[in-house]
Each structure stands twice: as structure tokens, then as C-alpha cells.
Amino acid sequence: MEESVVADFVGRVHTTALGSDDPVSGRVLLSQRRLVLVTDGGKTTVPLSAVFDIVVGTVPGELQSFFSDSVTVAYESDGSRRTALVEGESDDMERFTRVLFKALLRNVTVTVRHPAKVGGRVTDASDHTASVSLSTGAIGFADCPEPFRVELSSVIDYERTTRTLAGEKRPALVFRHVPDAQTVTSIATVPNERTLNV
């Protein structure tokens, strides 16, 4: 099956493979399986399975003066950790960020307990497996008995921890949000630390 490109634009990029301290103009290509950065000096291919963290809008100190609307992709290659920075026009970067997260979280199954608490009261909510869906400003949990969506602007606190849901201890995200007038606490456990980082 042929890979389809989900993002393709020209921006400024920086990778360790460039051999330069300054970002350069390059073409940014993203598919469901890999990120490819092409410059006059060469090509850097980042398999999405090797990505362990994404940072939007924050650039390492020595490169801050070069980037504004940016995404930093942290990945493993040949046993070491590396980063690739991408900058582009606001519209390009907004779309790139959205499709990058969608590609990274595609086919991820989580276990959720929602709501785990309403106000300060613990509920008797059951644990269910769910798939993750992303949209602008929100994350959804679907394919479960009671699908729900959390507006990111309603999240007031979160904690990365380990929890046992559905009898299995896994990395977890416990988040408090205010969908209406009352604080709700939800818990989502994920398959591994990499998924939790993303």
C-alpha cells in the first residue's frame, strides 16, 4: 500500500544531521508513518514510531532567536536521542501540528474512567477501553459505551502517574476539567510512556 502525504510545505528546519548551527529552508513532508525533512544539504527521515515527545512553541535556548511558530520533534535514532525543529507560516504549522498528533495517536487504545470524580465525590464509573480522536482544541474518547470529549481550554490541572484500570497497571494521565459548572476528574491509562509523552 502506498503512503499518502498528509502535510507538505516549505519551512525552516534544523536537525543534527545538517552540520550547521543555523536553521535552513527545507521541505517538510509528513505521512502516517514518517516525517521527512529535505534541504539542499540532504534529507532527514524520522519514523513516527521513533518519536517519543513533541513540543509546540518552545525551542531549545541556543535556537530561540531563529524560530517563532515551531514544533520540536524528539526521536530516537541509532540508540541516541535527537531532535528536529520545524518552523513555518502560522497556518502551515497549525495544520502540521494537528496532523502530526493525529498520526502519532492513530490506532492508540486507552482505558478510561470517566468521570472518576465529580466535584470531590468519587463516582462508581466503570473502566472502558476507548480510542483517541483529536480535533482543534479538544481530545475525544470514542468507541466506548459513553463517548466523551474534553475541550483543552476546560482543563485546569493534570498529573502524569501510574494507575490500575481494568486490572492493569499502566502509565496514566489524571486530568481535572470543568465542562460545565462543576469540576470533573477523568483518568486515561495508555499503553506506554511514549504515548503518555505525546
Side-chain angles (χ1 to χ4, degrees):
M1 186 167 109
E2 190 173 305
E3 254 180 284
S4 61
V5 173
V6 293
D8 181 355
F9 64 96
V10 174
R12 293 186 335 138
V13 300
H14 183 271
T15 68
T16 50
L18 285 177
S20 166
D21 290 338
D22 298 340
V24 297
S25 180
R27 187 170 176 194
V28 179
L29 298 153
L30 176 67
S31 74
Q32 295 288 351
R33 295 192 328 210
R34 71 192 88 224
L35 169 64
V36 180
L37 307 174
V38 182
T39 66
D40 287 343
K43 175 172 80 167
T44 299
T45 301
V46 179
L48 295 187
S49 60
V51 173
F52 64 86
D53 201 6
I54 302 288
V55 179
V56 178
T58 303
V59 178
E62 66 276 7
L63 294 170
Q64 277 183 342
S65 62
F66 295 111
F67 289 91
S68 53
D69 276 341
S70 63
V71 172
T72 304
V73 179
Y75 64 100
E76 292 186 3
S77 177
D78 300 324
S80 62
R81 293 184 162 197
R82 300 180 184 198
T83 58
L85 280 81
V86 176
E87 179 191 49
E89 296 295 325
S90 292
D91 289 348
D92 289 336
M93 293 308 295
E94 184 179 321
R95 183 174 188 283
F96 172 68
T97 302
R98 188 174 62 250
V99 296
L100 177 61
F101 276 108
K102 282 184 178 182
L104 288 167
L105 294 174
R106 180 174 59 109
N107 300 326
V108 169
T109 300
V110 298
T111 302
V112 294
R113 182 179 297 161
H114 173 79
K117 287 183 184 177
V118 175
R121 182 181 56 82
V122 176
T123 70
D124 60 355
S126 300
D127 302 339
H128 298 285
T129 58
S131 60
V132 176
S133 66
L134 300 176
S135 58
T136 303
I139 184 168
F141 298 90
D143 302 322
C144 57
E146 294 183 31
F148 65 102
R149 172 184 155 106
V150 177
E151 298 291 333
L152 298 181
S153 61
S154 75
V155 176
I156 57 172
D157 188 29
Y158 71 92
E159 174 189 7
R160 293 166 52 129
T161 185
T162 303
R163 289 289 174 96
T164 301
L165 292 189
E168 191 173 349
K169 189 173 186 175
R170 299 195 315 179
L173 187 63
V174 179
F175 53 100
R176 293 182 344 160
H177 50 112
V178 186
D180 296 312
Q182 212 165 21
T183 302
V184 173
T185 302
S186 302
I187 303 169
T189 63
V190 296
N192 51 49
E193 287 288 339
R194 175 191 168 272
T195 305
L196 184 61
N197 275 346
V198 173

